[in-house]
C-alpha cells in the first residue's frame, strides 16, 4: 500500500449543513481506511481538517477565526492543515494568500485524493477543486459514521436552481444524482447494521432522477421505505416548486416516512420571492401547505427565512411574518441576507441597512419563539415515540432524542436507552424542546 497513514491521528472540524456533516464522515472513513486514527481534539491530531461552509459571510468568517487557531497549533508541532468543503471550492488558491499556514485545499468532489496527498508530505501546497460530471460512489462500509442508529444517505448533490442569493450552485456544482440501486444497496447495508433512521440528503431532493431508469424522488422514497429494519425515513432539502403531489401522496400512504418536512420559504412576499428567483408565490406556498395538512394533519413543518433581501420593504417583511403566523412552523432557521460572490443578487444594491436586518431577524425569531411555546404546550400530556440519540453529561438518567416531527425531546429513563426507540410522556416544555418521562421498556 503506497498511501498508508499509520500512526497519524486526524481531527475534523465541520461547519455548515448536513451534507457537510455527511462528507466529514466520508473523509473520516477515507483516512481511517488509509490507517489513520480519529482524534477527539485538534490538539491531539497530526492532520487537521476544516470542512467549510460558504453560504453566508459569517460562515466564511468562522473558518478564518478557526484557521487562526490551527495556525497557532502548527507553530507548536508539525501538523498538516487542510481546508475542504465549500470555501475550499469557492476560494481555492486565494486562501493561500491569507496569513494562515494551509497545506492542502480540496473541493467537495476531490476527497478521494486525501491519503495520497497527506502521504506525499506536501513539500508544496496542494490544491484541487476539480469537478467530476458523474456521481462518484463511496463504498458504504468506508464511511465512518458518528451515530450507529441514524444515518445520512446522500442521493444527489449540487443544484441547478441558482436562487439569486445562493452560492451553493457555485460550490457544489450542477445536480448529480446517485443511481437508485446504490442508494438502496447502502440503505440495506445500514438496516443490516441496525440503523433505524435514514436521512436522505441532497440540495434539492425533489428533483432527483435515477440516472439509470429516470425514476423520480417519490419512487425512491417508496423503495427506501420498503427496506426492512428501517423505522423512520426523512429527507432534506425540498424546494417548494419541485415538491409535487406524488411526493406528498407517498408520504401520506407510507407510515415509515416521518410526518415532517423542511420546506424553505425564504420570504412571504411574492415580489421578493420573484427577485430571489424562487419560482413560487406566497399563495403557491400556502396552497401547498394547506394541501399537505389536509393529507397529513399531524405533519410538522420547518422552514428557512432570509430577512433583509435587497428591496425588502417593511410591508414585504410583514408578509413573511403573516405566513409564519398562518403556517405556524414547528421550527425556523432565520438569517440576515448576506451578499455572496458570484450570485445574481450580489449585483443588487444591498439597500436594507444592517440594523433593520437585525431588527427584522429579531422580530421573526420573537414571533417564532411564541409560536413554538404555544405548539409545544399542546403536546404536554401526550405520549410519543422518541429515538434516543444521546445521554446527558451531568445528569446520568437524562437522555435526549427526537420525535417523529424532529423536535428535541429531553427525558428521564432509569434504564440506558441510547440509540433505541422509547415511548415518552411529555410533561413540560420550553420554546426549543419538550421534556418528559420514559414510560415503557420496549
Ligand atoms: N439547498 C437548500 C439549502 C440552501 S442553504 C435549500 O434550497 O434550502 C440553507 C439556507 O441558507 C437557505 O435556505 C437560505 O435560507 C440560507 N441562505 C442561503 N444563501 C443565503 C444568503 N446569501 N444570505 C442569507 N441566507 C442565505
Ligand atoms: Fe441554493 Fe436555491 Fe439551490 Fe437551495 S435551491 S441550494 S437556496 S440555489
Ligand atoms: Fe454551506 Fe456548502 Fe452546505 S455552502 S450550506 S456547506 S452546501
Amino acid at each position: 500500500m503506497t498511501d498508508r497513514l499509520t500512526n497519524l491521528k486526524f481531527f475534523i472540524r465541520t461547519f455548515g449543513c448536513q451534507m457537510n456533516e455527511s462528507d466529514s464522515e466520508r473523509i473520516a472513513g477515507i483516512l481511517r481506511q488509509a490507517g489513520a486514527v480519529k482524534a477527539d481534539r485538534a490538539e491531539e491530531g497530526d492532520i487537521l481538517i476544516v470542512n467549510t461552509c460558504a453560504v453566508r459571510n459569517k460562515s466564511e468568517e468562522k473558518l478564518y477565526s478557526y484557521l487562526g487557531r490551527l495556525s497557532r497549533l502548527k507553530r507548536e508541532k508539525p501538523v498538516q492543515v487542510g481546508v475542504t468543503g465549500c470555501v475550499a471550492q469557492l476560494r481555492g488558491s486565494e486562501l493561500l494568500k491569507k496569513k494562515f499556514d494551509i497545506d492542502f485545499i480540496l473541493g467537495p468532489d476531490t476527497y478521494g485524493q486525501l491519503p495520497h496527498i497527506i502521504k506525499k508530505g506536501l513539500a508544496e501546497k496542494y490544491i484541487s477543486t476539480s469537478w467530476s460530471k458523474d456521481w462518484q460512489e463511496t463504498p458504504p462500509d468506508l464511511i465512518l459514521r458518528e451515530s450507529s442508529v441514524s444515518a445520512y444517505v446522500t442521493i444527489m448533490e449540487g443544484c441547478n436552481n441558482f436562487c439569486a442569493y445562493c452560492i451553493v450552485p457555485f460550490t457544489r456544482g450542477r445536480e448529480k444524482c446517485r443511481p437508485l440501486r446504490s442508494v438502496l444497496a447502502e440503505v440495506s447495508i445500514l438496516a443490516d447494521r441496525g440503523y433505524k433512521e435514514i436521512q436522505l440528503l441532497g440540495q434539492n431532493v425533489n428533483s432527483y432522477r435515477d440516472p439509470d431508469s429516470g425514476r423520480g424522488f417519490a419512487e425512491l422514497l417508496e423503495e427506501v421505505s420498503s427496506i426492512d429494519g428501517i423505522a423512520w425515513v426523512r429527507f432534506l432539502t425540498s424546494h417548494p416548486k419541485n415538491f409535487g403531489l406524488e411526493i406528498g401522496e407517498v408520504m401520506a400512504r407510507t407510515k415509515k416516512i416521518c410526518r415532517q418536512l423542511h420546506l424553505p420559504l425564504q420570504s412571504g412576499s411574492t415580489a421578493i420571492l420573484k427577485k430571489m428567483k424562487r419560482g413560487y408565490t406566497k399563495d403557491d406556498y400556502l396552497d401547498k401547505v394547506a394541501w399537505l395538512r389536509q393529507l397529513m394533519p399531524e405533519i410538522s413543518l420547518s422552514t428557512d427565512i432570509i430577512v433583509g433581501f435587497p428591496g425588502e420593504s417593511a410591508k414585504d417583511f410583514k408578509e413573511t411574518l403573516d405566513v409564519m403566523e398562518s403556517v405556524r412552523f414547528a421550527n425556523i432557521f432565520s438569517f440576515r441576507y448576506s451578499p455572496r460572490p458570484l450570485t445574481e443578487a450580489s449585483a443588487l444594491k444591498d439597500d436594507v441597512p444592517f440594523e433593520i436586518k437585525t431588527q427584522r431577524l429579531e422580530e421573526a425569531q420573537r414571533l417564532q419563539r411564541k409560536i413554538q411555546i404555544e405548539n409545544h404546550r399542546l403536546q404536554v400530556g401526550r405520549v410519543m415515540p422518541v429515538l434516543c440519540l444521546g445521554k446527558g453529561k451531568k445528569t446520568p438518567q437524562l437522555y435526549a432524542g427526537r420525535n417523529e416531527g424532529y423536535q428535541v425531546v429531553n427525558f428521564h429513563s432509569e434504564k440506558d436507552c441510547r440509540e433505541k426507540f422509547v415511548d415518552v410522556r411529555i410533561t413540560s416544555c420550553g420554546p426549543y424542546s419538550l421534556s418528559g418521562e420514559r414510560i415503557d421498556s420496549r
Side-chain angles (χ1 to χ4, degrees), residues 159-163 165-169 203-204 239 266 278:
C159 185
N160 296 348
N161 278 321
F162 293 92
C163 300
Y165 51 81
C166 186
I167 201 164
V168 172
Q203 265 81 34
N204 183 13
H239 193 303
Q266 313 300 2
R278 287 291 285 176

Side-chain angles (χ1 to χ4, degrees), residues 259-432:
R259 266 81 185 112
Q260 177 250 324
L261 183 65
H262 185 65
L263 197 62
L265 166 70
Q266 313 300 2
S267 167
S269 151
T270 295
I272 295 296
L273 287 170
K274 190 156 183 225
K275 280 185 146 188
M276 288 177 163
K277 292 183 55 198
R278 287 291 285 176
Y280 54 87
T281 64
K282 168 188 178 179
D283 288 342
D284 293 338
Y285 189 94
L286 289 173
D287 287 350
K288 212 150 253 184
V289 166
W291 171 77
L292 278 165
R293 288 230 161 104
Q294 211 172 359
L295 270 179
M296 292 168 279
E298 68 284 33
I299 194 168
S300 161
L301 296 168
S302 57
T303 205
D304 291 345
I305 303 275
I306 297 177
V307 301
F309 187 77
E312 185 188 72
S313 65
K315 193 165 150 280
D316 291 317
F317 174 61
K318 172 80 174 46
E319 289 197 80
T320 299
L321 297 178
D322 291 346
V323 175
M324 287 170 59
E325 291 255 29
S326 114
V327 177
R328 301 182 63 80
F329 294 103
N331 192 10
I332 68 164
F333 299 88
S334 50
F335 313 102
R336 275 183 290 251
Y337 167 70
S338 161
R340 302 305 288 137
L342 307 174
T343 61
E344 204 178 297
S346 64
L348 301 172
K349 190 163 170 273
D350 186 11
D351 56 359
V352 183
F354 188 80
E355 301 73 57
I356 302 282
K357 286 188 173 71
T358 303
Q359 269 172 29
R360 290 181 186 168
L361 186 71
E362 286 169 357
E363 195 172 345
Q365 290 177 346
R366 240 186 342 263
L367 168 62
Q368 182 58 24
R369 190 176 190 278
K370 175 178 134 294
I371 292 172
Q372 281 181 209
I373 292 176
E374 289 165 5
N375 280 348
H376 288 175
R377 280 198 188 126
L378 296 175
Q379 313 221 37
V380 173
R382 288 195 195 159
V383 174
M384 54 184 67
V386 170
L387 181 56
C388 178
L389 299 165
K391 194 174 160 87
K393 283 200 179 75
K394 288 187 201 127
T395 324
Q397 275 114 25
L398 194 61
Y399 293 83
R402 291 198 186 258
N403 64 10
E404 184 175 346
Y406 212 55
Q407 291 165 309
V408 174
V409 182
N410 299 308
F411 60 97
H412 273 93
S413 168
E414 290 302 321
K415 274 192 258 163
D416 191 343
C417 53
R418 270 171 295 178
E419 314 215 310
K420 291 199 177 94
F421 274 106
V422 289
D423 281 337
V424 174
R425 185 193 311 282
I426 304 303
T427 51
S428 65
C429 64
Y432 304 108

Side-chain angles (χ1 to χ4, degrees), residues 16-17 20 52-55 86 168 171-172 203:
C17 62
N20 255 20
T52 60
C53 173
V55 81
C86 291
V168 172
T171 62
R172 292 276 171 175
Q203 265 81 34

Side-chain angles (χ1 to χ4, degrees), residues 7 80 120 135 154 171 194 199 207-208 238 271 338 393 440:
N7 298 331
Q80 293 185 36
K120 258 184 31 184
W135 179 260
T154 302
T171 62
Q199 301 205 44
S207 68
Y208 176 84
S238 291
S338 161
K393 283 200 179 75
D440 72 339

